[in-house]
Amino acid sequence: MSEEELLSIISGDLKNPITKDQIWTEEIKISHLKKIDKIFNKGIQYYLDPSTPEKNKEASIFFRKTELGGELNLGAKQIVNQFEETSLSLSALAKLSDVKFERVLPNYSVTSSPKQAGKEIREKLNPIFKVQPKEFLVELIRVLGYANIIVFEYVEHHAKIEKSNIDGFYIKPNNIVLKRNQRFFRREIFTLIHELGHYLLDEEVAEEVNYNSMQAPINKIERWCNEFAYYFLVAEYDKMISNVEFASPKNDYHHDLITEVSSKTHLSRTALMTRLLINEKISPAYYQKFKKNLQEEFEAKREEEKKKRELDKEMGVKTFAQPAVPIKSPLVISTYQKAYFEGAISEYEFCQKLNIKSENFERYIYDSSN
């Protein structure tokens, strides 16, 4: 973060913006320090520590990488930093509790076949297919835990002002972080496997995953991860997609087939249509029309939901929407369980780290499947 960016954020809408001389000085106002801490969320005591913060490759992904797959906004940077700290804390507890996160899955390179890699890793992980997308996402997180890959999911509150502009990221050595996509679990599934691709290549990145980039001239790493995700998820239905005739009004542009394969793989219709485009089984013109229709369909549905909420409000109907709860990796839970039984953390710390209520302690301490 540059000095100019920091000053701009902490000044906000102040009539008299905070200046550099007010911050980089021997004495600083506590009100200014509190504004700074709203960005970094370290607690005031952190800034009173006379020791200089470490700046090395081990300390943060921001020091290891010159770029992270795109322009990250403040919300994204905060999320990356938050889960880096969570990862370091979990890793330290694992060492204290003699828990080893040894690598199980092989390494690949961008010269490897993403199709072959998708087939090999699917066979190694062997996830049980679930009809409901969210349940399949939970299953994927579970089997990745058996491969010593930690998956964190986070939920952004709708009232949060600075929402992150990323879908997910991979942090060395074995952490994948996902943003909850409540409306589109299939997109979140694709993002998870895309980030698994980064783990296999051991290439850190934080990004907004783009289905359309499967056919765009992007960098080799992103293309490999998208291809890997597609072949991992499509599994045995790849032949069906590869062998279709050219899409036309005669075969209704394969809409029935796309819907069927989507339901049996949890690849979105957009991802499957993109594959037809890559395979030259559909015209670019119809592909663009399909995407436009899909967007209009989504907007119409959202508008319908909005009208229903407004009508319910006018009629005094109260709606009680349950807040989304992040999916917890069984590997994370079991690591904290071991740390608790080894005496490395207390009951309070166990509940705090898993963000659970104290009355749920007994349920979580003996069961990692929650």
Side-chain angles (χ1 to χ4, degrees), residues 72-77 79-80 82-83 134 137 141 151-170 175-193 195 205-209 211 324-327:
L72 304 190
N73 62 12
L74 177 61
K77 291 175 182 177
I79 287 293
V80 172
Q82 174 191 330
F83 282 100
K134 184 181 177 181
L137 177 63
I141 292 173
V151 180
F152 298 104
E153 188 194 43
Y154 70 95
V155 176
E156 283 194 317
H157 194 274
H158 66 87
K160 185 181 177 184
I161 297 172
E162 191 74 46
K163 292 183 173 60
S164 64
N165 63 341
I166 53 176
D167 292 317
F169 53 96
Y170 158 62
N175 304 276
I176 292 174
V177 181
L178 292 176
K179 180 179 182 179
R180 164 63 68 85
N181 204 322
Q182 190 74 10
R183 283 180 173 273
F184 305 106
F185 276 110
R186 286 189 172 93
R187 182 184 178 93
E188 191 174 343
I189 288 168
F190 190 92
T191 299
L192 172 57
I193 306 304
E195 297 306 328
V205 74
E207 64 201 330
E208 181 179 12
V209 177
Y211 292 122
V325 178
I327 299 168

Short mmCIF file of all heavy atoms in Angstrom, two decimals, residues 72-77 79-80 82-83 134 137 141 151-170 175-193 195 205-209 211 324-327:
data_model
loop_
_atom_site.label_atom_id
_atom_site.label_comp_id
_atom_site.label_asym_id
_atom_site.label_seq_id
_atom_site.Cartn_x
_atom_site.Cartn_y
_atom_site.Cartn_z
N LEU A 72 -5.92 -6.04 -6.62
CA LEU A 72 -6.69 -6.34 -5.43
C LEU A 72 -7.14 -5.06 -4.76
O LEU A 72 -6.35 -4.14 -4.57
CB LEU A 72 -5.87 -7.15 -4.43
CG LEU A 72 -5.25 -8.47 -4.91
CD1 LEU A 72 -4.69 -9.24 -3.72
CD2 LEU A 72 -6.25 -9.32 -5.66
N ASN A 73 -8.43 -5.00 -4.39
CA ASN A 73 -8.91 -3.84 -3.64
C ASN A 73 -8.58 -4.04 -2.16
O ASN A 73 -8.03 -5.06 -1.75
CB ASN A 73 -10.41 -3.60 -3.87
CG ASN A 73 -11.27 -4.77 -3.38
OD1 ASN A 73 -10.81 -5.67 -2.68
ND2 ASN A 73 -12.53 -4.75 -3.76
N LEU A 74 -8.92 -3.05 -1.35
CA LEU A 74 -8.58 -3.11 0.07
C LEU A 74 -9.23 -4.31 0.75
O LEU A 74 -8.60 -5.00 1.55
CB LEU A 74 -9.01 -1.81 0.77
CG LEU A 74 -8.78 -1.76 2.28
CD1 LEU A 74 -7.30 -1.91 2.61
CD2 LEU A 74 -9.33 -0.46 2.86
N GLY A 75 -10.51 -4.57 0.40
CA GLY A 75 -11.20 -5.71 1.00
C GLY A 75 -10.49 -7.02 0.72
O GLY A 75 -10.38 -7.88 1.60
N ALA A 76 -9.99 -7.19 -0.50
CA ALA A 76 -9.27 -8.41 -0.87
C ALA A 76 -7.96 -8.52 -0.11
O ALA A 76 -7.59 -9.60 0.38
CB ALA A 76 -9.01 -8.42 -2.38
N LYS A 77 -7.23 -7.40 -0.01
CA LYS A 77 -5.96 -7.42 0.73
C LYS A 77 -6.17 -7.79 2.19
O LYS A 77 -5.38 -8.53 2.79
CB LYS A 77 -5.28 -6.05 0.62
CG LYS A 77 -4.76 -5.72 -0.77
CD LYS A 77 -4.21 -4.30 -0.83
CE LYS A 77 -3.75 -3.94 -2.23
NZ LYS A 77 -3.29 -2.53 -2.33
N ILE A 79 -8.60 -9.64 3.39
CA ILE A 79 -8.95 -11.06 3.47
C ILE A 79 -7.70 -11.92 3.34
O ILE A 79 -7.50 -12.89 4.08
CB ILE A 79 -9.99 -11.43 2.38
CG1 ILE A 79 -11.36 -10.86 2.74
CG2 ILE A 79 -10.07 -12.94 2.18
CD1 ILE A 79 -12.00 -11.48 3.97
N VAL A 80 -6.84 -11.59 2.38
CA VAL A 80 -5.60 -12.35 2.19
C VAL A 80 -4.76 -12.30 3.47
O VAL A 80 -4.27 -13.33 3.95
CB VAL A 80 -4.78 -11.80 0.99
CG1 VAL A 80 -3.41 -12.47 0.93
CG2 VAL A 80 -5.53 -12.05 -0.32
N GLN A 82 -5.78 -11.69 6.53
CA GLN A 82 -6.48 -12.39 7.60
C GLN A 82 -6.21 -13.89 7.57
O GLN A 82 -5.88 -14.51 8.58
CB GLN A 82 -7.99 -12.15 7.49
CG GLN A 82 -8.83 -12.95 8.47
CD GLN A 82 -10.31 -12.88 8.15
OE1 GLN A 82 -10.80 -11.88 7.60
NE2 GLN A 82 -11.05 -13.93 8.48
N PHE A 83 -6.31 -14.47 6.38
CA PHE A 83 -6.14 -15.92 6.29
C PHE A 83 -4.67 -16.34 6.27
O PHE A 83 -4.36 -17.49 6.61
CB PHE A 83 -6.91 -16.47 5.09
CG PHE A 83 -8.37 -16.59 5.36
CD1 PHE A 83 -9.27 -15.63 4.91
CD2 PHE A 83 -8.87 -17.65 6.12
CE1 PHE A 83 -10.63 -15.73 5.19
CE2 PHE A 83 -10.22 -17.76 6.42
CZ PHE A 83 -11.10 -16.79 5.94
N LYS A 134 -24.06 -27.50 -3.12
CA LYS A 134 -23.42 -27.18 -1.84
C LYS A 134 -22.90 -28.45 -1.16
O LYS A 134 -21.81 -28.45 -0.57
CB LYS A 134 -24.40 -26.45 -0.92
CG LYS A 134 -23.74 -26.01 0.39
CD LYS A 134 -24.70 -25.31 1.32
CE LYS A 134 -24.01 -24.96 2.64
NZ LYS A 134 -24.93 -24.29 3.59
N LEU A 137 -19.74 -29.45 -2.74
CA LEU A 137 -18.66 -28.56 -2.29
C LEU A 137 -18.13 -29.03 -0.94
O LEU A 137 -16.91 -29.11 -0.72
CB LEU A 137 -19.17 -27.13 -2.19
CG LEU A 137 -18.20 -26.07 -1.67
CD1 LEU A 137 -16.99 -25.93 -2.59
CD2 LEU A 137 -18.91 -24.73 -1.50
N ILE A 141 -14.28 -30.41 -0.08
CA ILE A 141 -13.47 -29.88 1.02
C ILE A 141 -13.04 -31.02 1.94
O ILE A 141 -11.91 -31.05 2.44
CB ILE A 141 -14.25 -28.79 1.79
CG1 ILE A 141 -14.43 -27.56 0.90
CG2 ILE A 141 -13.55 -28.42 3.09
CD1 ILE A 141 -15.32 -26.48 1.48
N VAL A 151 -8.85 -26.05 3.42
CA VAL A 151 -9.74 -25.14 2.69
C VAL A 151 -10.49 -24.28 3.70
O VAL A 151 -11.15 -24.79 4.60
CB VAL A 151 -10.75 -25.90 1.80
CG1 VAL A 151 -11.66 -24.91 1.07
CG2 VAL A 151 -10.02 -26.78 0.80
N PHE A 152 -10.34 -22.97 3.56
CA PHE A 152 -11.10 -22.02 4.37
C PHE A 152 -12.15 -21.38 3.47
O PHE A 152 -11.84 -20.99 2.34
CB PHE A 152 -10.20 -20.91 4.91
CG PHE A 152 -9.10 -21.37 5.83
CD1 PHE A 152 -7.79 -21.43 5.38
CD2 PHE A 152 -9.36 -21.72 7.14
CE1 PHE A 152 -6.76 -21.84 6.20
CE2 PHE A 152 -8.34 -22.14 7.98
CZ PHE A 152 -7.03 -22.20 7.51
N GLU A 153 -13.36 -21.24 3.98
CA GLU A 153 -14.40 -20.51 3.27
C GLU A 153 -14.76 -19.30 4.12
O GLU A 153 -14.86 -19.41 5.34
CB GLU A 153 -15.63 -21.38 3.03
CG GLU A 153 -16.65 -20.70 2.12
CD GLU A 153 -18.02 -21.38 2.14
OE1 GLU A 153 -18.49 -21.74 3.24
OE2 GLU A 153 -18.62 -21.52 1.08
N TYR A 154 -14.93 -18.15 3.48
CA TYR A 154 -15.35 -16.98 4.24
C TYR A 154 -16.61 -16.39 3.62
O TYR A 154 -16.87 -16.53 2.43
CB TYR A 154 -14.23 -15.92 4.31
CG TYR A 154 -13.91 -15.21 3.02
CD1 TYR A 154 -14.49 -13.98 2.70
CD2 TYR A 154 -13.00 -15.75 2.11
CE1 TYR A 154 -14.18 -13.32 1.53
CE2 TYR A 154 -12.68 -15.09 0.94
CZ TYR A 154 -13.27 -13.88 0.65
OH TYR A 154 -12.97 -13.23 -0.52
N VAL A 155 -17.41 -15.78 4.50
CA VAL A 155 -18.67 -15.16 4.08
C VAL A 155 -18.57 -13.66 4.32
O VAL A 155 -18.22 -13.23 5.43
CB VAL A 155 -19.85 -15.73 4.88
CG1 VAL A 155 -21.15 -15.01 4.51
CG2 VAL A 155 -19.99 -17.22 4.65
N GLU A 156 -18.83 -12.87 3.29
CA GLU A 156 -18.81 -11.42 3.44
C GLU A 156 -20.21 -10.92 3.79
O GLU A 156 -21.17 -11.24 3.08
CB GLU A 156 -18.32 -10.74 2.16
CG GLU A 156 -16.82 -10.82 2.00
CD GLU A 156 -16.30 -9.87 0.94
OE1 GLU A 156 -16.92 -9.79 -0.13
OE2 GLU A 156 -15.27 -9.24 1.17
N HIS A 157 -20.31 -10.18 4.86
CA HIS A 157 -21.59 -9.63 5.28
C HIS A 157 -22.08 -8.64 4.23
O HIS A 157 -21.30 -7.87 3.66
CB HIS A 157 -21.46 -8.94 6.64
CG HIS A 157 -22.76 -8.65 7.29
ND1 HIS A 157 -23.48 -7.50 7.03
CD2 HIS A 157 -23.51 -9.36 8.18
CE1 HIS A 157 -24.60 -7.50 7.73
NE2 HIS A 157 -24.64 -8.61 8.45
N HIS A 158 -23.39 -8.67 3.96
CA HIS A 158 -23.95 -7.81 2.91
C HIS A 158 -23.76 -6.33 3.21
O HIS A 158 -23.74 -5.49 2.30
CB HIS A 158 -25.44 -8.11 2.72
CG HIS A 158 -26.30 -7.74 3.90
ND1 HIS A 158 -26.83 -6.50 4.06
CD2 HIS A 158 -26.70 -8.47 4.99
CE1 HIS A 158 -27.53 -6.46 5.20
NE2 HIS A 158 -27.47 -7.64 5.77
N ALA A 159 -23.58 -5.99 4.50
CA ALA A 159 -23.42 -4.58 4.86
C ALA A 159 -21.97 -4.12 4.79
O ALA A 159 -21.69 -2.93 4.96
CB ALA A 159 -23.96 -4.35 6.28
N LYS A 160 -21.05 -5.02 4.53
CA LYS A 160 -19.64 -4.64 4.47
C LYS A 160 -19.43 -3.66 3.31
O LYS A 160 -19.85 -3.92 2.18
CB LYS A 160 -18.76 -5.87 4.28
CG LYS A 160 -17.26 -5.56 4.33
CD LYS A 160 -16.42 -6.81 4.12
CE LYS A 160 -14.94 -6.45 4.11
NZ LYS A 160 -14.08 -7.61 3.81
N ILE A 161 -18.76 -2.56 3.60
CA ILE A 161 -18.59 -1.52 2.58
C ILE A 161 -17.56 -1.94 1.54
O ILE A 161 -17.82 -1.89 0.33
CB ILE A 161 -18.16 -0.19 3.25
CG1 ILE A 161 -19.26 0.30 4.20
CG2 ILE A 161 -17.85 0.87 2.19
CD1 ILE A 161 -18.89 1.49 5.05
N GLU A 162 -16.38 -2.36 1.99
CA GLU A 162 -15.29 -2.71 1.07
C GLU A 162 -15.26 -4.22 0.86
O GLU A 162 -14.57 -4.95 1.55
CB GLU A 162 -13.94 -2.23 1.64
CG GLU A 162 -12.78 -2.30 0.67
CD GLU A 162 -12.82 -1.23 -0.40
OE1 GLU A 162 -13.05 -0.06 -0.08
OE2 GLU A 162 -12.61 -1.59 -1.58
N LYS A 163 -16.07 -4.69 -0.09
CA LYS A 163 -16.12 -6.12 -0.36
C LYS A 163 -14.93 -6.54 -1.23
O LYS A 163 -14.51 -5.79 -2.11
CB LYS A 163 -17.44 -6.49 -1.04
CG LYS A 163 -18.65 -6.34 -0.13
CD LYS A 163 -19.91 -6.80 -0.84
CE LYS A 163 -21.10 -6.83 0.11
NZ LYS A 163 -21.41 -5.54 0.70
N SER A 164 -14.42 -7.73 -0.98
CA SER A 164 -13.25 -8.20 -1.73
C SER A 164 -13.61 -8.48 -3.18
O SER A 164 -14.71 -8.94 -3.48
CB SER A 164 -12.67 -9.46 -1.07
OG SER A 164 -13.59 -10.52 -1.13
N ASN A 165 -12.67 -8.23 -4.08
CA ASN A 165 -12.91 -8.45 -5.51
C ASN A 165 -12.21 -9.73 -6.00
O ASN A 165 -11.75 -9.80 -7.13
CB ASN A 165 -12.43 -7.24 -6.33
CG ASN A 165 -10.92 -7.00 -6.20
OD1 ASN A 165 -10.28 -7.49 -5.26
ND2 ASN A 165 -10.36 -6.25 -7.13
N ILE A 166 -12.14 -10.73 -5.12
CA ILE A 166 -11.55 -12.01 -5.50
C ILE A 166 -12.51 -13.15 -5.19
O ILE A 166 -13.37 -13.03 -4.31
CB ILE A 166 -10.20 -12.28 -4.77
CG1 ILE A 166 -10.36 -12.12 -3.25
CG2 ILE A 166 -9.11 -11.37 -5.31
CD1 ILE A 166 -9.12 -12.45 -2.46
N ASP A 167 -12.37 -14.26 -5.90
CA ASP A 167 -13.18 -15.45 -5.66
C ASP A 167 -12.45 -16.43 -4.74
O ASP A 167 -13.08 -17.20 -4.02
CB ASP A 167 -13.50 -16.17 -6.99
CG ASP A 167 -14.43 -15.35 -7.86
OD1 ASP A 167 -15.39 -14.79 -7.32
OD2 ASP A 167 -14.20 -15.26 -9.08
N GLY A 168 -11.12 -16.44 -4.82
CA GLY A 168 -10.37 -17.38 -4.02
C GLY A 168 -8.89 -17.19 -4.23
O GLY A 168 -8.46 -16.44 -5.10
N PHE A 169 -8.10 -17.88 -3.40
CA PHE A 169 -6.65 -17.81 -3.57
C PHE A 169 -5.99 -19.02 -2.89
O PHE A 169 -6.58 -19.69 -2.04
CB PHE A 169 -6.06 -16.50 -3.04
CG PHE A 169 -6.44 -16.14 -1.62
CD1 PHE A 169 -5.61 -16.45 -0.55
CD2 PHE A 169 -7.63 -15.47 -1.37
CE1 PHE A 169 -5.95 -16.10 0.75
CE2 PHE A 169 -7.99 -15.10 -0.07
CZ PHE A 169 -7.14 -15.42 0.99
N TYR A 170 -4.76 -19.27 -3.32
CA TYR A 170 -3.94 -20.34 -2.76
C TYR A 170 -2.73 -19.71 -2.07
O TYR A 170 -2.07 -18.85 -2.62
CB TYR A 170 -3.49 -21.30 -3.86
CG TYR A 170 -2.25 -22.11 -3.51
CD1 TYR A 170 -2.25 -22.99 -2.43
CD2 TYR A 170 -1.08 -21.98 -4.25
CE1 TYR A 170 -1.11 -23.71 -2.09
CE2 TYR A 170 0.06 -22.70 -3.93
CZ TYR A 170 0.04 -23.57 -2.84
OH TYR A 170 1.17 -24.27 -2.50
N ASN A 175 -2.83 -24.13 1.64
CA ASN A 175 -4.07 -23.44 2.01
C ASN A 175 -4.82 -22.88 0.81
O ASN A 175 -4.23 -22.17 -0.01
CB ASN A 175 -3.75 -22.29 2.97
CG ASN A 175 -3.00 -22.75 4.20
OD1 ASN A 175 -3.59 -23.21 5.17
ND2 ASN A 175 -1.68 -22.64 4.16
N ILE A 176 -6.10 -23.18 0.73
CA ILE A 176 -6.97 -22.61 -0.29
C ILE A 176 -8.08 -21.85 0.43
O ILE A 176 -8.68 -22.37 1.37
CB ILE A 176 -7.58 -23.70 -1.20
CG1 ILE A 176 -6.50 -24.36 -2.05
CG2 ILE A 176 -8.66 -23.11 -2.10
CD1 ILE A 176 -6.98 -25.55 -2.86
N VAL A 177 -8.32 -20.62 0.00
CA VAL A 177 -9.36 -19.79 0.62
C VAL A 177 -10.42 -19.48 -0.44
O VAL A 177 -10.10 -19.10 -1.56
CB VAL A 177 -8.78 -18.48 1.18
CG1 VAL A 177 -9.88 -17.64 1.83
CG2 VAL A 177 -7.68 -18.78 2.19
N LEU A 178 -11.70 -19.66 -0.07
CA LEU A 178 -12.82 -19.46 -1.00
C LEU A 178 -13.79 -18.42 -0.46
O LEU A 178 -14.08 -18.40 0.74
CB LEU A 178 -13.61 -20.76 -1.18
CG LEU A 178 -12.99 -21.94 -1.90
CD1 LEU A 178 -13.97 -23.10 -1.84
CD2 LEU A 178 -12.67 -21.58 -3.33
N LYS A 179 -14.30 -17.60 -1.35
CA LYS A 179 -15.37 -16.68 -0.99
C LYS A 179 -16.71 -17.37 -1.23
O LYS A 179 -16.93 -17.94 -2.29
CB LYS A 179 -15.26 -15.42 -1.86
CG LYS A 179 -16.32 -14.36 -1.58
CD LYS A 179 -16.08 -13.16 -2.50
CE LYS A 179 -17.07 -12.04 -2.26
NZ LYS A 179 -16.79 -10.88 -3.13
N ARG A 180 -17.57 -17.38 -0.22
CA ARG A 180 -18.89 -18.00 -0.36
C ARG A 180 -19.66 -17.33 -1.49
O ARG A 180 -19.78 -16.12 -1.55
CB ARG A 180 -19.66 -17.89 0.96
CG ARG A 180 -21.18 -18.15 0.87
CD ARG A 180 -21.52 -19.57 0.42
NE ARG A 180 -21.18 -20.56 1.40
CZ ARG A 180 -21.95 -20.91 2.44
NH1 ARG A 180 -23.12 -20.34 2.61
NH2 ARG A 180 -21.55 -21.84 3.27
N ASN A 181 -20.16 -18.16 -2.38
CA ASN A 181 -20.98 -17.67 -3.48
C ASN A 181 -22.37 -18.28 -3.32
O ASN A 181 -22.69 -19.31 -3.92
CB ASN A 181 -20.37 -18.06 -4.83
CG ASN A 181 -20.81 -17.14 -5.94
OD1 ASN A 181 -21.95 -16.71 -5.97
ND2 ASN A 181 -19.90 -16.83 -6.85
N GLN A 182 -23.17 -17.66 -2.47
CA GLN A 182 -24.46 -18.22 -2.06
C GLN A 182 -25.39 -18.48 -3.24
O GLN A 182 -26.13 -19.46 -3.26
CB GLN A 182 -25.13 -17.26 -1.08
CG GLN A 182 -26.35 -17.81 -0.39
CD GLN A 182 -26.01 -18.84 0.69
OE1 GLN A 182 -24.85 -19.02 1.05
NE2 GLN A 182 -27.02 -19.53 1.18
N ARG A 183 -25.33 -17.63 -4.25
CA ARG A 183 -26.22 -17.79 -5.40
C ARG A 183 -25.69 -18.83 -6.39
O ARG A 183 -26.46 -19.48 -7.08
CB ARG A 183 -26.39 -16.45 -6.13
CG ARG A 183 -27.32 -15.48 -5.45
CD ARG A 183 -27.42 -14.20 -6.26
NE ARG A 183 -28.43 -13.31 -5.73
CZ ARG A 183 -29.71 -13.32 -6.06
NH1 ARG A 183 -30.14 -14.22 -6.93
NH2 ARG A 183 -30.57 -12.47 -5.54
N PHE A 184 -24.38 -18.95 -6.47
CA PHE A 184 -23.79 -19.79 -7.50
C PHE A 184 -22.75 -20.75 -6.90
O PHE A 184 -21.55 -20.51 -7.01
CB PHE A 184 -23.14 -18.93 -8.60
CG PHE A 184 -24.06 -17.94 -9.22
CD1 PHE A 184 -23.96 -16.60 -8.93
CD2 PHE A 184 -25.06 -18.35 -10.10
CE1 PHE A 184 -24.81 -15.67 -9.51
CE2 PHE A 184 -25.93 -17.44 -10.68
CZ PHE A 184 -25.80 -16.09 -10.38
N PHE A 185 -23.25 -21.82 -6.29
CA PHE A 185 -22.32 -22.78 -5.69
C PHE A 185 -21.48 -23.48 -6.75
O PHE A 185 -20.37 -23.92 -6.49
CB PHE A 185 -23.07 -23.81 -4.85
CG PHE A 185 -23.37 -23.33 -3.46
CD1 PHE A 185 -24.66 -23.03 -3.07
CD2 PHE A 185 -22.34 -23.19 -2.54
CE1 PHE A 185 -24.93 -22.58 -1.79
CE2 PHE A 185 -22.60 -22.73 -1.25
CZ PHE A 185 -23.89 -22.42 -0.87
N ARG A 186 -22.01 -23.60 -7.97
CA ARG A 186 -21.23 -24.23 -9.04
C ARG A 186 -20.00 -23.39 -9.37
O ARG A 186 -18.93 -23.93 -9.67
CB ARG A 186 -22.09 -24.45 -10.29
CG ARG A 186 -23.09 -25.59 -10.14
CD ARG A 186 -23.77 -25.92 -11.46
NE ARG A 186 -24.58 -27.12 -11.32
CZ ARG A 186 -25.87 -27.15 -11.01
NH1 ARG A 186 -26.50 -26.00 -10.81
NH2 ARG A 186 -26.52 -28.29 -10.89
N ARG A 187 -20.16 -22.10 -9.31
CA ARG A 187 -19.01 -21.22 -9.54
C ARG A 187 -17.97 -21.41 -8.43
O ARG A 187 -16.77 -21.44 -8.68
CB ARG A 187 -19.45 -19.76 -9.60
CG ARG A 187 -18.29 -18.81 -9.89
CD ARG A 187 -18.72 -17.35 -9.86
NE ARG A 187 -17.58 -16.48 -10.10
CZ ARG A 187 -17.22 -16.03 -11.28
NH1 ARG A 187 -17.90 -16.35 -12.35
NH2 ARG A 187 -16.17 -15.24 -11.42
N GLU A 188 -18.45 -21.54 -7.19
CA GLU A 188 -17.53 -21.74 -6.07
C GLU A 188 -16.80 -23.08 -6.18
O GLU A 188 -15.62 -23.19 -5.86
CB GLU A 188 -18.29 -21.65 -4.74
CG GLU A 188 -17.37 -21.57 -3.54
CD GLU A 188 -18.10 -21.34 -2.23
OE1 GLU A 188 -19.28 -20.93 -2.26
OE2 GLU A 188 -17.49 -21.58 -1.17
N ILE A 189 -17.51 -24.10 -6.65
CA ILE A 189 -16.90 -25.41 -6.87
C ILE A 189 -15.77 -25.29 -7.91
O ILE A 189 -14.67 -25.81 -7.71
CB ILE A 189 -17.95 -26.45 -7.33
CG1 ILE A 189 -18.87 -26.82 -6.16
CG2 ILE A 189 -17.29 -27.70 -7.90
CD1 ILE A 189 -20.10 -27.60 -6.57
N PHE A 190 -16.08 -24.59 -9.01
CA PHE A 190 -15.07 -24.41 -10.06
C PHE A 190 -13.86 -23.65 -9.51
O PHE A 190 -12.71 -24.01 -9.78
CB PHE A 190 -15.68 -23.66 -11.25
CG PHE A 190 -14.78 -23.64 -12.46
CD1 PHE A 190 -14.89 -24.61 -13.44
CD2 PHE A 190 -13.82 -22.65 -12.62
CE1 PHE A 190 -14.06 -24.61 -14.55
CE2 PHE A 190 -12.99 -22.62 -13.73
CZ PHE A 190 -13.11 -23.61 -14.70
N THR A 191 -14.13 -22.61 -8.70
CA THR A 191 -13.04 -21.83 -8.11
C THR A 191 -12.17 -22.71 -7.23
O THR A 191 -10.93 -22.61 -7.27
CB THR A 191 -13.60 -20.66 -7.29
OG1 THR A 191 -14.36 -19.80 -8.16
CG2 THR A 191 -12.49 -19.85 -6.65
N LEU A 192 -12.80 -23.57 -6.42
CA LEU A 192 -12.04 -24.46 -5.54
C LEU A 192 -11.09 -25.35 -6.33
O LEU A 192 -9.90 -25.46 -6.01
CB LEU A 192 -13.00 -25.32 -4.71
CG LEU A 192 -12.35 -26.44 -3.87
CD1 LEU A 192 -11.32 -25.88 -2.91
CD2 LEU A 192 -13.41 -27.23 -3.11
N ILE A 193 -11.59 -25.96 -7.40
CA ILE A 193 -10.74 -26.86 -8.19
C ILE A 193 -9.71 -26.06 -8.98
O ILE A 193 -8.59 -26.53 -9.19
CB ILE A 193 -11.59 -27.76 -9.11
CG1 ILE A 193 -12.65 -28.51 -8.28
CG2 ILE A 193 -10.72 -28.76 -9.83
CD1 ILE A 193 -12.08 -29.33 -7.13
N GLU A 195 -8.25 -23.37 -7.86
CA GLU A 195 -7.20 -23.09 -6.87
C GLU A 195 -6.42 -24.37 -6.52
O GLU A 195 -5.23 -24.29 -6.21
CB GLU A 195 -7.80 -22.47 -5.61
CG GLU A 195 -8.47 -21.12 -5.83
CD GLU A 195 -7.59 -20.09 -6.50
OE1 GLU A 195 -6.36 -20.12 -6.30
OE2 GLU A 195 -8.12 -19.26 -7.26
N VAL A 205 -1.61 -17.26 -5.92
CA VAL A 205 -2.35 -16.21 -6.63
C VAL A 205 -3.62 -15.89 -5.85
O VAL A 205 -4.12 -16.70 -5.09
CB VAL A 205 -2.70 -16.67 -8.07
CG1 VAL A 205 -3.82 -17.69 -8.05
CG2 VAL A 205 -3.08 -15.50 -8.95
N ALA A 206 -4.11 -14.66 -6.02
CA ALA A 206 -5.42 -14.28 -5.48
C ALA A 206 -6.15 -13.59 -6.62
O ALA A 206 -5.64 -12.64 -7.20
CB ALA A 206 -5.25 -13.33 -4.30
N GLU A 207 -7.35 -14.06 -6.95
CA GLU A 207 -7.94 -13.62 -8.21
C GLU A 207 -9.45 -13.78 -8.25
O GLU A 207 -10.05 -14.47 -7.43
CB GLU A 207 -7.36 -14.45 -9.35
CG GLU A 207 -7.74 -15.92 -9.21
CD GLU A 207 -6.83 -16.86 -9.97
OE1 GLU A 207 -6.29 -16.45 -10.99
OE2 GLU A 207 -6.68 -18.00 -9.52
N GLU A 208 -10.04 -13.15 -9.26
CA GLU A 208 -11.42 -13.41 -9.64
C GLU A 208 -11.35 -14.41 -10.79
O GLU A 208 -10.79 -14.12 -11.84
CB GLU A 208 -12.12 -12.13 -10.10
CG GLU A 208 -13.58 -12.37 -10.48
CD GLU A 208 -14.28 -11.09 -10.90
OE1 GLU A 208 -13.59 -10.08 -11.12
OE2 GLU A 208 -15.51 -11.13 -11.02
N VAL A 209 -11.87 -15.61 -10.57
CA VAL A 209 -11.77 -16.66 -11.59
C VAL A 209 -12.76 -16.39 -12.70
O VAL A 209 -13.93 -16.14 -12.47
CB VAL A 209 -12.03 -18.05 -10.96
CG1 VAL A 209 -11.99 -19.14 -12.04
CG2 VAL A 209 -10.99 -18.35 -9.89
N TYR A 211 -14.50 -17.83 -16.09
CA TYR A 211 -14.78 -18.98 -16.96
C TYR A 211 -14.37 -18.69 -18.39
O TYR A 211 -13.83 -19.53 -19.09
CB TYR A 211 -16.29 -19.29 -16.97
CG TYR A 211 -16.84 -19.82 -15.68
CD1 TYR A 211 -17.87 -19.15 -15.03
CD2 TYR A 211 -16.36 -21.00 -15.12
CE1 TYR A 211 -18.42 -19.64 -13.86
CE2 TYR A 211 -16.89 -21.49 -13.93
CZ TYR A 211 -17.91 -20.81 -13.32
OH TYR A 211 -18.45 -21.28 -12.16
N ALA A 324 -25.53 -16.92 6.33
CA ALA A 324 -24.69 -17.98 5.79
C ALA A 324 -23.56 -18.30 6.76
O ALA A 324 -22.95 -17.40 7.33
CB ALA A 324 -24.12 -17.57 4.44
N VAL A 325 -23.31 -19.58 6.95
CA VAL A 325 -22.23 -20.03 7.85
C VAL A 325 -21.13 -20.65 7.00
O VAL A 325 -21.41 -21.53 6.18
CB VAL A 325 -22.76 -21.07 8.87
CG1 VAL A 325 -21.62 -21.57 9.76
CG2 VAL A 325 -23.88 -20.47 9.71
N PRO A 326 -19.88 -20.22 7.16
CA PRO A 326 -18.79 -20.79 6.36
C PRO A 326 -18.65 -22.29 6.58
O PRO A 326 -18.84 -22.80 7.70
CB PRO A 326 -17.55 -20.05 6.87
CG PRO A 326 -18.07 -18.81 7.52
CD PRO A 326 -19.41 -19.17 8.06
N ILE A 327 -18.35 -23.01 5.51
CA ILE A 327 -18.08 -24.44 5.61
C ILE A 327 -16.74 -24.63 6.30
O ILE A 327 -15.76 -23.98 5.95
CB ILE A 327 -18.05 -25.08 4.21
CG1 ILE A 327 -19.40 -24.92 3.52
CG2 ILE A 327 -17.67 -26.56 4.30
CD1 ILE A 327 -19.38 -25.25 2.03
#
